[in-house]
Amino acid sequence: MSDGGIRLYSYWRSSAAYRVRIALNLKGLPYQLVPVNIAPGSSEQRGPAFAEINSQQMVPVMIDGGRVIRQSLAIIEYIEEMYDGPSLMPTTARERARARSLAMQIACDIHPLNNLRVLEYLEQEGGMPKIEREQWARHWITRGLESLEEQLLHNPSTGDFCEGDLPSIADCCLVPQLHNARRWSVDPALFPTMVRIERNCLALPAFETARPENQPDAPPR
């Protein structure tokens, strides 16, 4: 255990912050959520107070005692190694490698191409119209998820969750990415294996509580 409490700088609709909220919930760790508005038109994440915490001006950032940890996958690995509770990683080296591989495929290959910063750049610097930006996002989400679906469908290690029958770092990434896919009107029915895993995940309170619409900074429904 570390000294001091955990603070998570988050935005309700951020896929990366959503991953960390799931992981903290799975570990059973209490934390203080600090909303940071990163929506277009907001300058909160670019203000000096937050820039001092993270010069990238991005969420999530986790502060644990005196430690500042940035990047969602690094945060998840940190809390796995630092705290007791249900494991976020499978048991064997081979299983851990597969879980990490699936998580990184989502976090490093799929998500960045439909990240808000990228889409803002395409609009502001590239002059790309909204309809073309939406097509861009749908194209790269669909391409990435098609590959992921094939890997999950044809690997005998896929169980109730991405790797076996317990949720792991891979599931922490999968559920937010499917949520993001729906935002961009990508049909989840194209990916039945992932939808089945997502359904198993959302049946768990750790995932349900972390959902964007359940965050204190989410717009009223």
Side-chain angles (χ1 to χ4, degrees):
M1 291 285 293
S2 66
D3 54 348
I6 294 175
R7 277 183 290 156
L8 178 66
Y9 291 80
S10 172
Y11 176 62
W12 70 280
R13 207 163 63 178
S14 162
S15 297
Y18 189 179
R19 297 168 198 149
V20 176
R21 295 195 301 264
I22 294 169
L24 287 165
N25 293 343
L26 285 170
K27 294 293 280 189
L29 296 174
Y31 61 95
Q32 176 191 358
L33 192 142
V34 183
V36 179
N37 189 352
I38 64 170
S42 171
S43 60
E44 188 172 354
Q45 82 275 24
R46 298 183 178 92
F50 186 64
E52 187 174 341
I53 296 169
N54 188 6
S55 60
Q56 286 186 291
Q57 302 175 333
M58 297 167 62
V59 295
V61 178
M62 193 180 83
I63 297 181
D64 184 19
R67 301 171 182 85
V68 180
I69 304 100
R70 304 168 183 89
Q71 294 293 332
S72 60
L73 296 188
I75 295 171
I76 293 172
E77 295 250 13
Y78 169 84
I79 62 177
E80 168 67 7
E81 295 171 1
M82 194 72 182
Y83 289 96
D84 296 331
S87 181
L88 303 174
M89 298 296 294
T91 304
T92 70
R94 186 205 61 77
E95 292 165 345
R96 290 194 298 272
R98 180 169 182 264
R100 284 190 179 99
S101 173
L102 295 170
M104 292 178 71
Q105 186 171 339
I106 295 167
C108 302
D109 294 340
I110 302 174
H111 176 245
L113 290 172
N114 52 90
N115 186 277
L116 180 61
R117 294 188 308 159
V118 172
L119 297 174
E120 283 185 334
Y121 181 86
L122 293 175
E123 177 187 14
Q124 296 169 7
E125 302 297 330
M128 184 180 287
K130 180 180 178 182
I131 190 169
E132 293 183 15
R133 296 196 307 274
E134 292 173 347
Q135 289 171 346
W136 163 285
R138 282 194 294 271
H139 171 79
W140 291 114
I141 291 170
T142 302
R143 285 283 300 274
L145 292 182
E146 284 172 346
S147 173
L148 198 65
E149 174 72 15
E150 286 297 305
Q151 293 179 48
L152 291 168
L153 176 62
H154 296 297
N155 195 307
S157 292
T158 303
D160 291 340
F161 299 94
C162 287
E163 173 60 43
D165 294 327
L166 293 173
S168 73
I169 188 173
D171 305 283
C172 292
C173 293
L174 176 66
V175 170
Q177 187 56 57
L178 287 180
H179 180 273
N180 196 36
R182 291 184 177 91
R183 281 182 55 209
W184 293 106
S185 300
V186 175
D187 185 2
L190 298 170
F191 317 110
T193 308
M194 283 187 276
V195 170
R196 174 183 63 78
I197 292 170
E198 178 193 42
R199 185 168 56 249
N200 293 336
C201 289
L202 291 176
L204 302 176
F207 285 84
E208 175 64 25
T209 304
R211 291 177 75 153
E213 58 268 30
N214 294 330
Q215 303 315 299
D217 56 327
R221 283 181 277 179

